[in-house]
Amino acid sequence: MVAECLGKIALIEPAKLVPALKVRTTSPAAFIQATVVIAVKYSIMERREKIDEISSFLMLIKDNDSHVRRAVVLALSTFEHNKPNLIKGLLPDLLPLIYDQTIVKQELIRTVDLELRKAAFECVDTLLDSCLDQVNPSSFIVPYLKSGLDDHYDVKMHCHLILSKLADKCPTAVLAGS
């Protein structure tokens, strides 16, 4: 709720408030970083013009905290659905980082890790709809999709949908990855 309000307030004076949010991306508190990312998500959805600093918010996907990474993945999914042109130029840098979120991290096995992996696979699924020309399916199928097919039931369901979509849109990549 706080993040949504911050995002809407940033619409009032974006030239002043977006840089103030950007400064908060370096906060040592993961809660503040996640809140800032979600605020930017809400702000961008209401704006007509592009935010030049978007990459600094999205690069928080490299953060150590899984809550921050999940906030970034969810923001990316929203942008893919609603404003895919906003992130297309960033995809070469972001795709490997998104794929990394699909990997089971033994030190993090708990609900948050599962939610992050599910969100990452949902993000990839959306990318296949909105930005397929930017995605190399072969580099995703092995090892990421293959690993997801052996994961928790909720993750498997997303992976089966992705596999079905890839079989329809990129059959040779699927056959090569089998």
Side-chain angles (χ1 to χ4, degrees), residues 63-77:
D63 195 81
N64 291 330
D65 190 273
S66 60
H67 292 90
V68 175
R69 294 192 314 269
R70 184 168 184 267
V72 173
V73 169
L74 293 173
L76 274 165
S77 290

Side-chain angles (χ1 to χ4, degrees), residues 11 40-47 78-79 81-83:
L11 290 168
V40 168
K41 176 181 89 168
Y42 281 105
S43 179
I44 285 176
M45 296 318 303
E46 301 286 329
R47 289 176 73 148
T78 301
F79 300 154
H81 268 296
N82 300 294
K83 296 188 176 189

Side-chain angles (χ1 to χ4, degrees), residues 91 95 99 123-124 126-140 166 170:
L91 285 178
L95 278 174
Y99 293 166
C123 186
V124 170
T126 304
L127 278 170
L128 294 175
D129 289 332
S130 60
C131 304
L132 181 60
D133 61 320
Q134 301 284 311
V135 177
N136 178 355
S138 299
S139 66
F140 171 69
L166 285 172
C170 315

Side-chain angles (χ1 to χ4, degrees), residues 12-30:
I12 297 168
E13 260 190 90
K16 185 177 184 178
L17 298 174
V18 171
L21 288 173
K22 185 178 176 183
V23 168
R24 303 309 187 280
T25 62
T26 60
S27 171

